Amino acid sequence: MTELVTFGETMLRLSPPDDERLETADQYTVRAAGAESNVAVAAQRLGLDAMWTSKLPDSPVGRRVTGELKHHGVSVDIAWDDADTARQGTYYLEQGSPPRGNEVIYDRRNASVTTATPEELPTETIENATGFHTSGITPALSETLESTTTDLLSLAQDAGTTTSLDLNYRSKLWTPAEARSVLTELFPAVDVLVVAERDANVVLDRDGDTEAVARDLADEYGFEVTVITRGSEGALALADGAVVEQPTFEATDDHPVGTGDSFVGGFLSQYLSGGSVSDGLAWGAATAALKRSIPGDIAVVSPDEIRSILSGDTEAISR
Ligand SMILES: O=C(O)C(=O)C[C@H](O)[C@H](O)COP(=O)(O)O
């Protein structure tokens, strides 16, 4: 049985090798990259039966996306779109060592997924799953997706599926005011909110003590679990009135893109299989730390590696 269904856009990510610049590189590495499929892969690799659903061009580039996700064991349910007219979203990523940062350029306007409606998607599977996950990126992509995201979260929650949303504010897609007005409308249908502290500040206008922010959000919107991620400061969760805190594990800055999604995948792998919020945070933090050493968007990790990090039993060379 499918335990977790995630819904959103997966792009092809094009990035120059090493620290090369987009402008002058003569090769780009191609990887599947999307917030919700990144979550599905991490959760699947850590033991959940995960599915990613979306809409893609019925073409080799669309199948480039599904092929990579299937490699990790994720099942896919795709509304295939007319290959002659449909667009595959892409993004360019230039990774740079300090003082350069990581630069993302999106080319995703009018991608196939922007026209996806609930009728084209596996709503029954969502209703029968343990969890349904999406992110604040999805409703930013089109008015159709704003409505589809609302409908899917509601039908999932009504069926007793635990719904989760990672707020994932992207300033290249919309303004904080636009994001706030759309996302707060979705919140009543969200059971588990994951939000970066900076997004809680910029989008939701919440400031100050992290625990107070979590309590305030939970009181206002009725979340079952409110998780606030704090970058290198770790994460805090509020559930049933109790607060759990989780520090980060030692990690590199080599491949930071995908850290947040890996955290969510690690969290859901525990929480949706009956684990505690505290187990969820620990697995989330360990998965996120491991991801930062791995190129691409995806956490290519195993449960044993996570357990090693949690037990402090990591070896520089295993032989
Ligand atoms: O930006 C988008 O629109 C994407 O969907 C793809 C992003 O590469 C992931 O969402 C990674 O996000 P983090 O895990 O927060 O680093």
Side-chain angles (χ1 to χ4, degrees):
M1 194 198 91
T2 305
E3 295 170 290
L4 170 66
V5 182
T6 75
F7 168 64
E9 177 174 24
T10 295
M11 298 170 285
L12 288 176
R13 157 182 151 170
L14 306 171
S15 40
D18 307 319
D19 274 356
E20 291 254 27
R21 308 225 71 171
L22 281 167
E23 193 174 320
T24 45
D26 55 10
Q27 285 177 36
Y28 293 161
T29 301
V30 183
R31 302 286 172 104
E36 296 84 358
S37 59
N38 293 347
V39 169
V41 170
Q44 171 79 35
R45 295 190 63 102
L46 297 177
L48 281 189
D49 201 340
M51 170 187 279
W52 173 72
T53 185
S54 194
K55 187 165 178 177
L56 289 171
D58 188 4
S59 71
V61 280
R63 290 189 289 279
R64 172 64 182 81
V65 171
T66 53
E68 186 169 338
L69 302 180
K70 285 183 196 167
H71 168 85
H72 297 284
V74 170
S75 54
V76 298
D77 190 309
I78 305 299
W80 292 107
D81 202 358
D82 182 350
D84 294 331
T85 50
R87 289 201 69 215
Q88 168 63 46
T90 56
Y91 88 87
Y92 300 88
L93 170 71
E94 180 180 292
Q95 294 217 142
S97 307
R100 281 164 60 201
N102 294 320
E103 178 68 18
V104 166
I105 300 172
Y106 290 134
D107 183 5
R108 65 195 305 186
R109 201 163 294 159
N110 300 322
S112 276
V113 70
T114 58
T115 63
T117 60
E119 294 69 39
E120 298 175 295
L121 300 167
T123 48
E124 246 182 71
T125 310
I126 293 171
E127 287 172 326
N128 290 323
T130 314
F132 172 70
H133 177 80
T134 190
S135 84
I137 296 169
T138 310
L141 299 175
S142 69
E143 272 180 36
T144 303
L145 279 184
E146 182 184 327
S147 143
T148 300
T149 311
T150 308
D151 291 352
L152 293 182
L153 283 167
S154 300
L155 72 86
Q157 192 182 52
D158 289 348
T161 302
T162 298
T163 57
S164 53
L165 180 108
D166 183 354
L167 193 133
N168 259 342
Y169 176 62
R170 297 287 185 264
S171 63
K172 292 189 175 176
L173 298 178
W174 53 358
T175 65
E178 286 166 338
R180 181 179 186 165
S181 112
V182 169
L183 295 174
T184 54
E185 287 290 313
L186 295 181
F187 282 172
V190 172
D191 298 318
V192 178
L193 177 76
V194 182
V195 59
E197 193 162 47
R198 63 170 187 280
D199 291 351
N201 177 227
V202 171
V203 178
L204 303 176
D205 214 11
R206 299 303 205 281
D207 218 345
D209 177 63
T210 314
E211 180 179 334
V213 169
R215 287 195 187 279
D216 188 36
L217 290 173
D219 285 349
E220 184 160 355
Y221 300 106
F223 303 120
E224 176 182 305
V225 185
T226 311
V227 181
I228 302 193
T229 57
R230 309 173 64 208
S232 59
E233 312 264 290
L236 176 149
L238 175 74
D240 295 327
V243 164
V244 186
E245 291 196 60
Q246 173 67 51
T248 51
F249 294 97
E250 194 186 338
T252 97
D253 278 335
D254 288 352
H255 306 287
V257 176
T259 305
D261 301 333
S262 303
F263 175 90
V264 174
F267 177 84
L268 293 177
S269 75
Q270 299 308 296
Y271 189 66
L272 294 179
S273 53
S276 63
V277 169
S278 141
D279 285 344
L281 289 190
W283 279 63
T287 311
L290 210 47
K291 163 65 200 69
R292 296 175 74 83
S293 69
I294 302 165
D297 260 48
I298 285 175
V300 187
V301 299
S302 71
D304 281 347
E305 288 175 312
I306 303 301
R307 286 190 200 101
S308 298
I309 293 181
L310 295 179
S311 65
D313 183 20
T314 46
E315 289 177 87
I317 303 179
S318 169
R319 56 186 163 195

